[in-house]
Amino acid sequence: MLLANAQVDLHLTLVDSAQCFGWIERGGWFGQVLDGKPVWLARTEDGILCEGCDAAYLRDYLDLNRDYRALASEYDHLPAAKRAIEMYPGLRVLNQPVWDTLVMFILSANNNVSRIRRLCMQLSEHFGVQYDTPRGTLYSLPSPERLVQCDEASLRALGVGYRASYLIGSARAVIDGFPIYDLAGMDYDSAHARLLALPGVGDKVADCILLFGCRQTSAFPVDVWVEKLLRSWFRLQSANRNALRKDARRMFGDHAGLLQQFLYHAARTGGMTFE
DNA sequence: GCCCAGGAGATGT
DNA sequence: ACATCTCATGGG
């Protein structure tokens, strides 16, 4: 299946942007299991080649139904914001399966991108479902049901460290009825507050789950890079990261989180420098 | 050895 | 409400 006129840089969006950690790259093809289906993507001159899922699903996952030029124009009054969006025309903010997003961002706490990716792979290869395809083998992340069967020691053996108990505890909560699939339909403040009940989920991880897994486009994750850029580029003087989160949402509006991804990437990769 | 990484949780004030 | 500590692990 060919997805025509797709304005997306697969390597930038799926690998470099640190909003997901499960895609593997092999010979120009990108592979991951999405909602129980092994998916392979590749760029051609005409668009995105896709094996394993239909066009509507992929368009939604890659957020291709959104006008990112219009997004940039929402920030005409904030030059640094507009510049960051226009600097990366191939970067999109993904709409990912919420459980996978929860697992990945529990792993992300106080961790670096390359190691998060490695832990995600370890977890998938040991406890996920294996899919053999003509292009190679892919592994899903473990389901909540599989994860609660793991003991803490076996997860620590993979290198996840103190996050082992968080993974098991959040899996338990989901099995016991925590409404992860309702978060997308809730107002932001309610959804954010509910997520804090899960072990391993604080203010920042909750915002990542809402932004990358629940279509809550105003969710604004504040990590070390975002704190730095908010103070430097936007002169915010909020006392701490929680206050920065609230002030940034107020300043950037309903699509604050989409902007956040461009700002984060510009700061982390040096596309825009600090003074 | 040190500091850092898409921080969270526990404790003390 | 806010400040401080600890928690694994690998890389620079």
Side-chain angles (χ1 to χ4, degrees):
Chain A
M1 185 272 291
L2 175 69
L3 203 57
N5 299 321
Q7 175 83 344
V8 53
D9 181 331
L10 291 177
H11 190 268
L12 171 60
T13 297
L14 303 179
V15 179
D16 279 349
S17 74
Q19 51 183 318
C20 57
F21 305 95
W23 286 92
I24 64 167
E25 186 172 8
R26 180 181 298 177
W29 286 82
F30 299 82
Q32 192 185 36
V33 178
L34 293 175
D35 284 322
K37 298 184 294 280
V39 174
W40 291 96
L41 306 178
R43 156 65 64 187
T44 72
E45 291 182 7
D46 303 320
I48 302 296
L49 271 179
C50 173
E51 299 175 357
C53 70
D54 61 46
Y57 183 93
L58 186 60
R59 291 193 67 82
D60 182 64
Y61 177 84
L62 296 174
D63 205 33
L64 297 178
N65 300 317
R66 186 186 307 281
D67 183 353
Y68 277 70
R69 293 178 57 85
L71 176 69
S73 70
E74 292 179 30
Y75 298 104
D76 286 334
H77 60 300
L78 296 168
K82 186 182 178 70
R83 192 182 331 137
I85 295 172
E86 293 180 335
M87 189 174 298
Y88 306 106
L91 177 59
R92 320 289 298 196
V93 179
L94 300 174
N95 296 305
Q96 303 179 62
V98 60
W99 165 251
D100 290 6
T101 310
L102 171 57
V103 171
M104 288 188 288
F105 281 93
I106 285 175
L107 293 176
S108 79
N110 197 26
N111 213 339
N112 61 68
V113 173
S114 62
R115 207 167 79 91
I116 298 165
R117 190 171 292 118
R118 189 163 60 250
L119 294 177
C120 185
M121 297 300 175
Q122 286 280 315
L123 205 56
S124 299
E125 291 180 9
H126 282 82
F127 301 116
V129 176
Q130 178 176 342
Y131 296 83
D132 294 314
T133 79
R135 295 198 179 279
T137 299
L138 297 173
Y139 299 86
S140 71
L141 279 167
S143 65
E145 291 75 14
R146 181 67 188 88
L147 213 40
V148 288
Q149 293 174 355
C150 300
D151 59 8
E152 195 174 320
S154 64
L155 292 180
R156 281 178 179 258
L158 302 183
V160 304
Y162 59 85
R163 306 169 190 86
S165 63
Y166 300 160
L167 292 170
I168 295 171
S170 283
R172 182 79 260 164
V174 169
I175 289 173
D176 291 343
F178 183 92
I180 53 173
Y181 295 105
D182 295 339
L183 296 168
M186 299 169 63
D187 65 274
Y188 167 81
D189 286 307
S190 301
H192 188 271
R194 291 296 295 270
L195 274 169
L196 298 185
L198 295 176
V201 180
D203 289 321
K204 189 270 176 183
V205 168
D207 275 332
C208 288
I209 296 165
L210 292 173
L211 178 59
F212 303 130
C214 302
R215 304 161 190 273
Q216 294 272 359
T217 56
S218 76
F220 195 92
V222 180
D223 71 334
V224 290
W225 288 105
V226 176
E227 174 172 10
K228 193 173 170 184
L229 75 87
L230 286 175
R231 297 191 190 287
S232 173
W233 300 345
F234 298 96
R235 302 297 170 193
L236 286 189
Q237 298 182 341
S238 323
N240 53 52
R241 289 190 192 173
N242 199 30
L244 284 169
R245 167 176 70 92
K246 294 175 183 175
D247 292 341
R249 289 188 70 247
R250 193 176 307 116
M251 177 167 54
F252 296 135
D254 290 343
H255 297 148
L258 303 179
L259 167 63
Q260 186 272 5
Q261 189 57 20
F262 289 84
L263 293 171
Y264 167 76
H265 195 261
R268 192 172 73 92
T269 64
M272 289 167 61
T273 55
F274 300 100
E275 56 184 40

